[in-house]
Amino acid sequence: MRIPCPYCGERGNEEFTVLGAADPVRPAGDAPLGAWVDYVHQRENAHGPHRELWHHQGGCRTWLVVERDTRTHAVIAVRAARATEGTP
Amino acid sequence: MGHDMHYSVFSLLRNALAGNRLWTPAWRDPQPKPSYDTLVVGGGGHGLATAYYLAKEHGITDVAVLEKGYVGSGNVGRNTTIIRSNYLLPPNTHFYEKSLQLWEGLEQDINYNAMVSQRGVLNLFHSDAQRDAYARRGNAMRLAGVDAELLDAAAVRGMVPEIDMDNARFPVKGGLLQRRGGTVRHDAVAWGYARAADRRGVDILQHTEVTGIRVEAGRVIGVETTRGFIGAKRVGLAAAGNSGRVAAMAGLRLPIESHVLQAFVSEAIKPVIDTVVTFGAGHFYVSQSDKGGLVFGGDIDGYNSYAQRGSLPAMEDVMESAVALFPGFSRLRYLRQWGGVMDMSMDGSPIIDRTPIDGLFLNCGWCYGGFKATPASGWCFAHTIATGAPHPLNAGFRLDRFATGAVIDEKGAGAQANLH
Ligand SMILES: Cc1cc2nc3c(=O)[nH]c(=O)nc-3n(C[C@H](O)[C@H](O)[C@H](O)COP(=O)(O)OP(=O)(O)OC[C@H]3O[C@@H](n4cnc5c(N)ncnc54)[C@H](O)[C@@H]3O)c2cc1C
Ligand SMILES: [Zn+2]
């Protein structure tokens, strides 16, 4: 699997670490318990396009949002995470 | 002779004399009935074992197992065959020990040679801190009545002389040994349970994919399949890596991510390891098959996947660890490699429970360790489906534990599926 980093170009996935799903949004501190349980534990676990957070640890050290097809591992889109709302 | 041929030394002899022409198929290939008392979705080890114990322990024989591919096409035929019950936390220790006890009597019970081999499982440790952690786990096991022995370095050297004990970075200080652990021929487990369930009247429906779950007034009434609608009073889901997709058909979201795990087999060599060894300082474990190939693996690749194949960095990591522990293995060629889709739960432990929908039951979250669980998983899931309530052995494996906080996090890794 190769990931095209917007800053470094296409690199093998051994240069990256993966955190997981990019879409869960951290609830407000006083949100009801159910919202927190959902955020911490429940996952869409998409069969198909899936947006996830990857860290280009062995390169520019940027956090990226990679959209990848979980059926084929084909990378659909990549962008820097800081340009996205709701990421850590 | 029909389909109820009993396997024995006499059936072997008869067939030896008759040129093996008297063997009959191990199970029927029936047409689906319009409805059943109970449907089990997924013809892997867990689904087949569930059907078997529904019939054997609870007298429920109006059962069909629905499998989208063929029996053994999922993880039950892709794993590295290791069984053990060396867990720290009470719900896991008792459940996996029940499973090990069922393995010990399985072949007589189902009249099938599953090559259960209690060759031991040896977890190596490489530092004083790791020794303490392993000693603690061993003590917890012994308190629960499970066998465990703490070996020093000399004892490890005597058991597995090929290990590089004095590796400069990760010297081997000893190991935690469970002698009753070992390996089981994985395909034979699927075939043996399928045959045993069939002999008790269960219909095994291969190439029958479930495409929808029909619910009326909060109660399940059957499933849509590629061979039409099949009605049922009760439906048990045991779809392993595809659990999320199947549960979504009933509107359920799960605390599960699907990840790929790879395994490898080397060319056949003379006997070199007569136990199962796990490296404590990297991602590697190994045993040797009866054909002589080394069967080995490591950790999941780490990213969500339904592709049943992994990528090269994870392979390289496993090979590096292998050669660090067994320098002699650098001369071996590996023959084949494959991947399976793991249902990774958010605390690393499984779920065997009811669901908010009446008559619908859930079995999932097996991570990379569900093969050893096959007998107890089927046994507990059958109990849960038949009685409508969990058995004490699976009472901890609740679906709502992620909301109540009663998670079972063996590794202490937190709610991060790819770290378990
Ligand atoms: C490489 C690898 C190594 C492993 N090593 C070990 C090990 O050494 N020890 C250990 O204990 N565990 C190990 N495991 C884990 C173990 O194999 C699994 O946890 C276990 O097999 C899962 O249960 P199962 O056998 O029922 O799964 P499966 O065999 O995957 O059964 C699930 C079945 O459901 C079917 N299905 C899915 N969706 C549908 C649908 N919509 N309709 C109908 N059918 C459907 C699938 O086709 C599949 O046959 C390993 C796994 C892998 C991949
Ligand atoms: Zn980069």
Side-chain angles (χ1 to χ4, degrees), chain A residues 54-76:
Chain A
W54 289 73
H55 185 216
H56 196 185
Q57 195 181 31
C60 62
R61 304 187 67 80
T62 306
W63 278 97
L64 304 171
V65 176
V66 176
E67 188 175 356
R68 211 175 43 88
D69 192 322
T70 58
R71 296 165 301 183
T72 61
H73 300 170
V75 175
I76 301 161

Side-chain angles (χ1 to χ4, degrees), chain B residues 41-47 66-69 73-76 78-82 208-210 238-240 242 246 249 261-263 285 338-342 366-373:
Chain B
V41 180
H46 293 212
L66 310 177
E67 167 52 48
K68 73 173 175 184
S73 56
N75 292 337
V76 70
R78 291 166 182 268
N79 64 73
T80 42
T81 78
I82 297 163
T208 310
E209 179 169 359
V210 171
N242 283 289
V246 174
M249 295 173 193
L261 177 68
Q262 307 188 60
Y285 61 89
W338 64 92
V341 184
M342 322 302 333
W366 294 102
C367 302
Y368 42 77
F371 176 67
K372 70 175 104 68

Side-chain angles (χ1 to χ4, degrees), chain A residues 5-9 11 15-16 56 59-62 64:
Chain A
C5 173
Y7 305 104
C8 312
R11 299 299 175 97
E15 289 189 8
F16 300 80
H56 196 185
C60 62
R61 304 187 67 80
T62 306
L64 304 171

Side-chain angles (χ1 to χ4, degrees), chain B residues 94-278:
Chain B
H94 298 297
F95 172 82
Y96 286 104
E97 176 56 19
K98 168 74 178 176
S99 212
L100 199 49
Q101 288 172 11
L102 287 170
W103 284 120
E104 285 170 335
L106 183 75
E107 295 166 304
Q108 286 68 34
D109 188 31
I110 64 174
N111 179 233
Y112 205 91
N113 179 9
M115 297 165 66
V116 177
S117 163
Q118 292 183 289
R119 60 183 67 185
V121 171
L122 177 62
N123 301 148
L124 301 177
F125 52 78
H126 308 267
S127 67
D128 292 345
Q130 203 173 22
R131 176 194 286 120
D132 290 349
Y134 282 28
R136 178 179 174 228
R137 181 154 54 89
N139 289 338
M141 289 164 63
R142 292 170 72 135
L143 281 172
V146 182
D147 69 304
E149 285 167 57
L150 202 66
L151 302 189
D152 62 14
V156 169
R157 192 191 296 272
M159 248 184 102
V160 192
E162 294 73 22
I163 291 177
D164 179 13
M165 300 293 293
D166 305 315
N167 182 294
R169 275 176 80 193
F170 303 116
V172 177
K173 303 261 187 176
L176 183 65
L177 174 66
Q178 184 180 25
R179 287 193 197 274
R180 285 167 58 246
T183 60
V184 181
R185 169 88 199 274
H186 53 3
D187 300 310
V189 173
W191 300 331
Y193 270 122
R195 172 173 168 274
D198 173 275
R199 291 177 92 195
R200 287 180 182 265
V202 171
D203 282 359
I204 314 274
L205 303 175
Q206 302 183 82
H207 305 292
T208 310
E209 179 169 359
V210 171
T211 54
I213 297 176
R214 221 187 265 179
V215 176
E216 255 177 39
R219 214 195 142 79
V220 72
I221 58 162
V223 301
E224 317 286 347
T225 79
T226 46
R227 295 165 82 181
F229 175 78
I230 305 177
K233 294 200 194 84
R234 300 178 274 211
V235 176
L237 307 179
N242 283 289
S243 293
R245 298 177 66 204
V246 174
M249 295 173 193
L252 300 176
R253 274 176 92 209
L254 301 181
I256 299 276
E257 290 181 11
S258 295
H259 283 260
V260 57
L261 177 68
Q262 307 188 60
F264 314 86
V265 174
S266 79
E267 61 186 319
I269 53 171
K270 290 196 171 156
V272 60
I273 295 178
D274 62 359
T275 183
V276 178
V277 178
T278 73

